[in-house]
Amino acid sequence: GIGFITLKPEGYYRGKKNTKQMMIEWVLEESHVVNGVKIDVTQADEKPEEDEDRKREDRVEERRLARVDKEQRMLRNLGGVAPHLIDRGQERLVPSPWFKRWRYRLWE
C-alpha cells in the first residue's frame, strides 16, 4: 500500500536546529524498517499554492448556474405558469393583498 505523511522540522537534533533540508536528508537517505519490513521512501511533489479568491469565485459561479438551471427546470415543469412573474430569469415581486390595502389607504 501507499501512505503519505507530512513532517515539520521542529526542535533540535544533536545541538543543531532542525531544518526542512535536514528532515528531507534524514527521511530519504536513511533506511527505515518497521516491524521487520523495509519501507521505501520517496519525496512527493509539492502542491502548488491555491488561490482562495479564485476558488470562492468558482463556487459562487457554480451556485449561480445551479440556481438558474433549477429555475428553468421549474418553469418547464410548470408549463410556463404566470409569465408576468418572469422577467428574463429574474424574479419580480408581486404585492400581497395586505400591501394593496395599505397602499390604497395611504393614498386616500
Side-chain angles (χ1 to χ4, degrees):
I2 295 177
F4 296 93
I5 62 168
T6 302
L7 300 175
K8 181 177 179 182
E10 290 183 348
Y12 292 86
Y13 178 71
R14 293 188 181 171
K16 293 183 184 177
K17 183 167 175 50
N18 287 333
T19 64
K20 184 176 180 180
Q21 188 58 36
M22 287 174 62
M23 295 291 290
I24 291 171
E25 289 172 3
W26 171 71
V27 170
L28 295 178
E29 292 176 5
E30 299 266 338
S31 63
H32 302 280
V33 179
V34 177
N35 292 331
V37 178
K38 184 177 179 186
I39 298 176
D40 294 323
V41 179
T42 59
Q43 184 176 0
D45 297 331
E46 288 191 29
K47 294 191 327 187
E49 288 289 326
E50 295 180 357
D51 185 9
E52 294 298 322
D53 292 334
R54 182 69 196 146
K55 284 172 43 178
R56 182 183 180 287
E57 290 173 10
D58 290 344
R59 286 193 305 269
V60 168
E61 181 65 18
E62 285 178 20
R63 289 185 194 126
R64 187 188 68 77
L65 290 174
R67 186 173 54 249
V68 168
D69 184 44
K70 181 180 176 183
E71 289 172 357
Q72 290 175 349
R73 277 182 293 159
M74 288 175 62
L75 288 174
R76 278 194 303 260
N77 291 340
L78 294 175
V81 174
H84 64 282
L85 298 177
I86 304 163
D87 184 23
R88 295 186 183 166
Q90 295 181 358
E91 180 182 343
R92 294 178 63 192
L93 300 176
V94 178
S96 68
W98 175 86
F99 177 76
K100 288 179 183 178
R101 284 192 309 266
W102 177 81
R103 183 177 58 185
Y104 179 74
R105 289 182 185 153
L106 182 69
W107 292 109
E108 286 182 335

